[in-house]
Amino acid sequence: MSSLDEIVVVGAGAAGATTAETLRRQGYEGRLTLVGAEPHPPYDRPPLSKQILSGRWEPDRIRLRGPEVYDRLGIDVRLGTAASRLDPADRAVELADGGRLHADAVVIATGVRPRTLPGTEGVAGVHVLRTLDDALALREALGEGRRLVVAGAGLLGTEAAVAARGLGADVTLVGSEPVPLLDLLGPPAAGLVAAVHRELGLRFRRGRVSGVVSAGGAATGVLLADGTHLPADVVLVAMGSLTNTEWLAGSGVRVGDGVVCDELGAARPGVWAAGDLANKPDPRTGRRRRWEHRTQATEQAVAVARNLLAGPGARPVAPLPYFWTDQHDLRIQVFGEIAGTDRWHIVEGSPAERRFTAVHCVEDRVRGAVAVNLPRSAQQLRPLVENEARWTGLPTEAPAG
């Protein structure tokens, strides 16, 4: 522990804040600094596209911890200033405000930012949704009768579309799959989500948004790749993300679809990565990958903090993939992965009841599990996914697709 007198965690989202807290709870007593680019204290992002956007919650409710917790733990929280450079020679993190923090170890948790559509900079009515300020600005722009086009029908886009519809907006969702979320949720759950969207009056258009039409500096619609024009007062771009790694140029940290690290979470001696930008080997597939899900961010952060302090006792970071989504009155939980499976089996309930569980398999091995409005039953399926168990019970069976 004596060789680690100063640790800097860069990024004050869920991964960064959890890393800092875990270091303290694991007994680290040296100087500990948490750096965040946003001015807000660390907060939870999943509610942004649901409770915050819908207006059901106000910002104070999504704080991860009160300021007194960081004070009690002795964590120096630096907010409103981004890291601008990592100096490997002097082991220092340089900040955009001119500050410089010495670090015996650095944890990189700077996360991701939304992709944008070229040519939309400065166009009023075009939004992304990543930060608290983004969510509040989008909420302010929506309301009864406002025409919203959501470019991207993934988890973020569909959740935001549902919230916007609840605010009275006229919503069109544009996505590339024949059914939104098909690869993430599988046919039974994705089909149920599509039915709920129709009941809410959401329109779905299969395609790809290629640009925004504007007049007088404000959005008036979007163009699809096939030439279709969709009128819009507000446009939400939810077309994926880019990793925040530019500040690492010249640091010796290998970057490639995020920060390339080993199975322990180490990017190079004294430098670690956690959260959305950590690109590490997946022990289940042997491939490198990143996870942009809330639970993975926290579990990675805990493991990286422990490994940073553990020395030879460090263990691989291998959390089971897990995420959830709220789609109107559906709470959907997913363990493992659905994409790439070739058959599914209903275990309990049914889509018609709006409550069911299903396992998704490759041949007879369970690779993923989905629960809709059955949270307790979801936990019972988790071990099947963790162990890639052979599925022998066949209440209902259908090929995937």
Side-chain angles (χ1 to χ4, degrees), residues 76 100 170 300 370:
D76 180 9
R100 185 178 175 89
D170 181 298
Q300 281 184 34
V370 179

Side-chain angles (χ1 to χ4, degrees), residues 72-395:
R72 187 171 67 250
L73 292 174
I75 299 172
D76 180 9
V77 181
R78 308 278 188 97
L79 299 176
T81 183
S84 59
R85 181 171 177 264
L86 175 60
D87 183 343
D90 291 341
R91 287 182 173 249
V93 175
E94 297 179 3
L95 305 180
D97 64 2
R100 185 178 175 89
L101 300 171
H102 179 269
D104 297 309
V106 175
V107 179
I108 302 167
T110 43
V112 299
R113 64 185 184 278
R115 292 182 182 274
T116 58
L117 283 168
T120 59
E121 295 80 5
V123 177
V126 180
H127 295 257
V128 294
L129 182 50
R130 173 67 183 175
T131 69
L132 174 58
D133 291 339
D134 291 338
L136 295 176
L138 180 57
R139 187 170 85 183
E140 181 69 21
L142 294 172
E144 193 69 37
R146 297 283 283 172
R147 298 171 300 177
L148 169 68
V149 173
V150 180
L155 292 175
L156 180 67
T158 53
E159 289 176 352
V162 170
R165 188 73 188 110
L167 293 172
D170 181 298
V171 183
T172 300
L173 185 63
V174 180
S176 58
E177 292 185 320
V179 178
L181 307 177
L182 185 61
D183 282 348
L184 286 173
L185 305 183
L192 179 54
V193 169
V196 168
H197 286 181
R198 288 191 295 271
E199 291 172 7
L200 294 174
L202 281 169
R203 289 187 298 276
F204 174 69
R205 178 66 183 260
R206 190 178 184 187
R208 180 177 63 84
V209 172
S210 59
V212 172
V213 181
S214 63
T220 60
V222 302
L223 280 177
L224 304 189
D226 64 4
T228 300
H229 174 269
L230 299 176
D233 306 303
V234 184
V235 178
L236 172 61
V237 181
M239 300 171 63
S241 59
L242 299 170
T243 56
N244 292 320
T245 55
E246 290 79 6
W247 68 284
L248 297 169
S251 67
V253 173
R254 184 181 166 199
V255 173
D257 185 29
V259 173
V260 178
C261 50
D262 63 19
E263 67 278 4
L264 302 178
R268 59 168 293 168
V271 180
W272 304 73
D276 293 349
L277 55 52
N279 182 322
K280 67 179 192 61
D282 182 345
R284 296 170 185 82
T285 65
R287 303 191 309 269
R288 286 195 161 275
R289 65 181 310 166
R290 294 186 301 109
W291 293 102
E292 292 187 26
H293 297 310
R294 173 65 170 82
T295 304
Q296 269 71 30
T298 302
E299 292 182 352
Q300 281 184 34
V302 170
V304 164
R306 289 174 174 169
N307 285 345
L308 193 160
L309 301 175
R315 293 183 295 178
V317 180
L320 179 71
Y322 168 78
F323 69 89
W324 77 91
T325 181
D326 294 329
Q327 303 279 337
H328 188 50
D329 60 352
L330 306 179
R331 164 55 68 98
I332 303 173
Q333 299 166 272
V334 179
F335 291 102
E337 290 189 273
I338 306 304
T341 57
D342 55 28
R343 64 194 65 231
W344 51 269
H345 314 282
I346 298 293
V347 180
E348 178 183 353
S350 71
E353 301 173 63
R354 296 198 188 206
R355 54 190 300 277
F356 70 91
T357 59
V359 292
H360 291 254
C361 304
V362 173
E363 296 181 348
D364 62 350
R365 294 291 181 177
V366 177
R367 298 291 177 81
V370 179
V372 178
N373 291 336
L374 287 172
R376 291 185 180 178
S377 297
Q379 295 300 322
Q380 296 171 5
L381 297 178
R382 177 173 184 145
L384 300 179
V385 182
E386 287 178 322
N387 300 317
E388 293 190 6
R390 174 172 283 122
W391 182 252
T392 56
L394 304 175

Side-chain angles (χ1 to χ4, degrees), residues 19-44:
T19 299
E21 288 185 42
T22 305
L23 287 168
R24 282 292 189 239
R25 299 187 194 286
Q26 290 293 307
Y28 176 67
E29 297 178 350
R31 182 173 178 81
L32 179 57
T33 306
L34 177 64
V35 177
E38 292 184 60
H40 308 290
Y43 62 85
D44 214 9

